[in-house]
Amino acid sequence: MFHMVMAESSKLVRWKIPDWLITFFWLLMVAAVWSAAVRLLEIPDYILPSPENVVGWISSRPGYFLDATVSTLQVIAVGFSAGVAAAVPMGLALAKMPWLERSLYPFVVFLQTMPLIAITPALVIWFGYGLVPSSILVGFSVFFPVLVNAFAGIRSIPAPLYFVARTMGANFLQTFRYIDWPMTLPHLMSAFRICLALATTTAVVSEFIAANEGLGFAALRGVRNRDPVQVIAVVLIAAVVGVLLNGLSLLLEQRIMRKYRG
């Protein structure tokens, strides 16, 4: 009897612990292991600084990192929005018009296979350093995954649904509103969540070459100064930005899907 009560109580405790608290606990464990390894192995700061030094370095320059983070977020916002705005209608059009798919899809694949870093110097020559070239690179990184998911969402719709819609006299806009968009939306929301991580990575990497501000440029300054504390600080901040954007996209996805399913 006692064992049954303890088992039920342990299940209740596990159920009440929020997921974010468990994640925070594991982050603390990683930081503790990192700090202990640096101290026990006597690793110098110029090879691997301790987490205390990294956090202290960030807290001593809050304005600098805030400005860099805001600059990177601007690149992510502009590039992600532009990539999605171009990819969604094109993906829907390719799925709806087979002749357009046959003619344009190979060209889209060709653009996607181009290494983004290779075209960065050309973008810098055309647009200079700053927001525009970095945003274009982010838009390219987002474009293809969103297009493929929009295309797959339309192609996954059963043909009988269209037959029923035509039988009931639905026009093109009504079919799109009540069939195409709701059925494609889950594919798009998954693509958006994945592409936010891609956009964050691409934005930081693009700022190594095509920008004179942002987290990537801050990391580049750390490399030039041979300062691993600054480099690791930028990596941690970029990771936090990615996690927060992923959490925000997940909340939006849950609210939007609840609206359509409710």
Side-chain angles (χ1 to χ4, degrees):
M1 183 67 179
F2 174 78
H3 293 292
M4 294 177 61
V5 172
M6 292 300 295
E8 291 297 326
S9 62
S10 63
K11 290 180 182 179
L12 186 60
V13 170
R14 286 199 301 270
W15 181 79
K16 286 185 176 180
I17 298 177
D19 292 340
W20 66 267
L21 189 58
I22 298 175
T23 303
F24 183 71
F25 169 77
W26 283 111
L27 289 176
L28 289 180
M29 290 295 294
V30 170
V33 172
W34 175 7
S35 178
V38 170
R39 294 176 183 275
L40 293 176
L41 300 178
E42 298 181 351
I43 302 175
D45 278 349
Y46 63 84
I47 295 179
L48 180 64
S50 66
E52 296 90 341
N53 289 345
V54 174
V55 173
W57 204 91
I58 295 173
S59 61
S60 65
R61 299 163 176 82
Y64 174 74
F65 281 109
L66 180 61
D67 292 341
T69 303
V70 170
S71 177
T72 300
L73 286 174
Q74 289 177 343
V75 172
I76 295 172
V78 174
F80 182 84
S81 301
V84 169
V88 171
M90 181 170 287
L92 299 178
L94 291 177
K96 287 288 188 179
M97 294 178 279
W99 64 269
L100 190 63
E101 176 196 356
R102 291 191 298 269
S103 58
L104 286 185
Y105 197 77
F107 179 69
V108 172
V109 174
F110 170 76
L111 290 178
Q112 180 62 25
T113 55
M114 286 194 309
L116 295 180
I117 298 300
I119 66 174
T120 304
L123 294 176
V124 172
I125 293 173
W126 295 335
F127 302 105
Y129 292 95
L131 178 65
V132 175
S134 297
S135 299
I136 291 175
L137 292 173
V138 171
F140 266 112
S141 70
V142 167
F143 177 80
F144 192 72
V146 174
L147 182 144
V148 169
N149 277 269
F151 181 88
I154 292 293
R155 287 296 176 89
S156 67
I157 299 175
L161 285 180
Y162 291 115
F163 177 77
V164 173
R166 287 193 299 268
T167 302
M168 298 179 67
N171 57 31
F172 175 80
L173 291 179
Q174 290 172 330
T175 302
F176 178 80
R177 179 181 178 183
Y178 294 106
I179 296 179
D180 291 339
W181 185 246
M183 297 290 286
T184 307
L185 194 57
H187 294 77
L188 290 177
M189 297 307 298
S190 298
F192 293 163
R193 191 143 44 94
I194 294 171
C195 287
L196 275 175
L198 286 174
T200 303
T201 303
T202 305
V204 174
V205 172
S206 68
E207 289 169 344
F208 291 161
I209 306 172
N212 49 17
E213 57 184 353
L215 291 175
F217 184 73
L220 183 62
R221 290 185 62 182
V223 172
R224 290 172 178 171
N225 296 332
R226 297 184 180 276
D227 186 0
V229 178
Q230 182 172 351
V231 175
I232 294 177
V234 171
V235 171
L236 292 180
I237 293 174
V240 170
V241 169
V243 169
L244 292 178
L245 290 177
N246 181 76
L248 179 61
S249 67
L250 185 59
L251 289 176
L252 290 175
E253 178 181 352
Q254 291 173 348
R255 293 193 63 177
I256 292 173
M257 296 310 300
R258 191 182 302 119
K259 174 184 176 181
Y260 275 90
R261 290 170 180 170

